[in-house]
């Protein structure tokens, strides 16, 4: 049973976890990969070669997370994070390869080692990120969901921006202001991404 007031995208993730009985991080990765299409994950898909191929690329939860080991990136022997895929990163490399992309607004799901290709345990990563990176990670996850299921007020704001046929009175000035304030980070990230696409 869904908890009352459970926020998206977590409600969608939890529904999939309960329905097909897989860990939360796997459900999150599958939903992001398949554009949040919950209906895709039926019995037929779960028995398919496509799913088997994806499932073979999930990292396993390590029995320990931090240990003194050689970092797979810089080869320094230091306290290193076990990523669950067989690779370990020291604090500096973890920050550079995991946190920095997330702080730049990218939603990271795969091991940063080029020869790996495993999907990382997202909850494990979150546990070892700074609070700022966790916050950005949560925003990226929410933006991924909203790209396919915009909230009603936000949908009206987007419609207003795209066509000036809608009046501010119809949307409601307070609702518009609240939606813009609530999503100022996302708006900035989208604007920056659009600017970069202009120069590609």
């Amino acid at each position: 049973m869904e908890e009352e007031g459970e926020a998206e995208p977590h409600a969608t993730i939890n529904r999939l976890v309960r329905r097909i009985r897989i860990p939360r991080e796997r459900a999150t990765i599958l939903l992001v990969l398949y554009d949040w299409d919950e209906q895709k994950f039926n019995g037929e898909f779960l028995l398919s070669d496509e799913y088997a191929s994806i499932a073979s690329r999930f990292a396993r939860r390590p029995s320990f997370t931090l240990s003194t080991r050689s970092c797979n990136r810089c080869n320094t022997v230091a306290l290193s994070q076990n990523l669950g895929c067989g690779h370990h990163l020291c604090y500096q490399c973890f920050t550079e390869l995991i946190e920095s992309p997330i702080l730049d607004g990218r939603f990271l799901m795969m091991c940063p080692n080029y020869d790996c290709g495993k999907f990382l345990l997202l909850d494990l990563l979150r546990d070892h990120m700074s609070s700022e990176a966790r916050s950005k990670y949560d925003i990226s996850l929410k933006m991924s969901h909203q790209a396919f299921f915009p909230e009603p007020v936000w949908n009206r704001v987007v419609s207003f921006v795209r066509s000036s046929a809608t009046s501010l009175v119809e949307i409601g000035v307070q609702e518009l202001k609240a939606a813009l304030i609530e999503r100022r980070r996302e708006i900035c990230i989208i604007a920056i991404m659009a600017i970069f696409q202009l120069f590609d």
Side-chain angles (χ1 to χ4, degrees):
M1 187 171 156
E2 229 173 276
E3 291 180 28
E4 192 173 319
E6 191 174 31
E8 289 295 353
H10 302 289
T12 303
I13 294 166
N14 290 335
R15 276 194 307 273
L16 188 61
V17 166
R18 286 188 296 272
R19 188 162 57 85
I20 65 173
R21 291 178 168 61
I22 60 172
R24 183 177 167 71
E25 51 260 344
R26 288 187 181 199
T28 304
I29 289 168
L30 287 171
L31 286 165
V32 171
L33 284 175
Y34 288 97
D35 301 333
W36 296 90
D37 181 6
E38 278 183 88
Q39 302 312 309
K40 173 133 181 106
F41 307 107
N42 55 30
E44 185 179 322
F45 175 77
L46 296 174
L47 295 173
S48 71
D49 290 340
E50 181 180 0
Y51 177 72
S53 172
I54 292 168
S56 70
R57 293 176 38 216
F58 287 118
R60 298 185 185 279
R61 185 162 296 282
S63 56
F64 59 90
T65 56
L66 290 172
S67 64
T68 303
R69 295 190 61 125
S70 177
C71 172
N72 289 106
R73 174 92 191 298
C74 68
N75 295 319
T76 302
V77 175
L79 192 60
S80 297
Q81 170 67 45
N82 183 342
L83 300 180
C85 59
H87 292 110
H88 297 80
L89 294 177
C90 67
Y91 176 77
Q92 184 176 347
C93 291
F94 182 87
T95 301
E96 181 183 327
L97 297 173
I98 305 286
E99 279 202 23
S100 292
I102 290 169
L103 289 170
D104 289 341
R106 287 180 267 156
F107 186 73
L108 185 73
M109 296 191 315
M110 297 183 85
C111 174
N113 287 296
Y114 300 111
D115 60 342
C116 183
K118 293 269 189 185
F119 293 108
L120 299 174
L121 298 169
L122 305 176
D123 291 341
L124 179 70
L125 291 182
R126 285 186 87 255
D127 291 345
H128 295 280
M129 289 180 201
S130 66
S131 58
E132 183 183 3
R134 269 194 302 275
S135 175
K136 288 274 193 171
Y137 170 87
D138 291 339
I139 289 170
S140 295
L141 182 63
K142 190 170 184 180
M143 284 178 63
S144 167
H145 183 269
Q146 285 177 346
F148 297 96
F149 302 102
E151 295 173 20
V153 172
W154 182 244
N155 201 17
R156 286 184 281 163
V157 170
V158 170
S159 296
F160 168 75
V161 170
R162 288 190 179 148
S163 74
S164 58
T166 307
S167 71
L168 272 174
V169 174
E170 189 178 330
I171 291 175
V173 175
Q174 294 297 34
E175 285 185 49
L176 173 64
K177 184 178 177 181
L180 292 174
I181 288 171
E182 182 181 324
R183 291 179 174 72
R184 63 183 173 264
R185 284 185 181 169
E186 290 122 316
I187 292 168
C188 290
I189 290 169
I190 291 167
I192 290 168
M193 288 168 47
I195 290 167
F196 281 122
Q197 287 177 355
L198 289 174
F199 295 107
D200 281 346

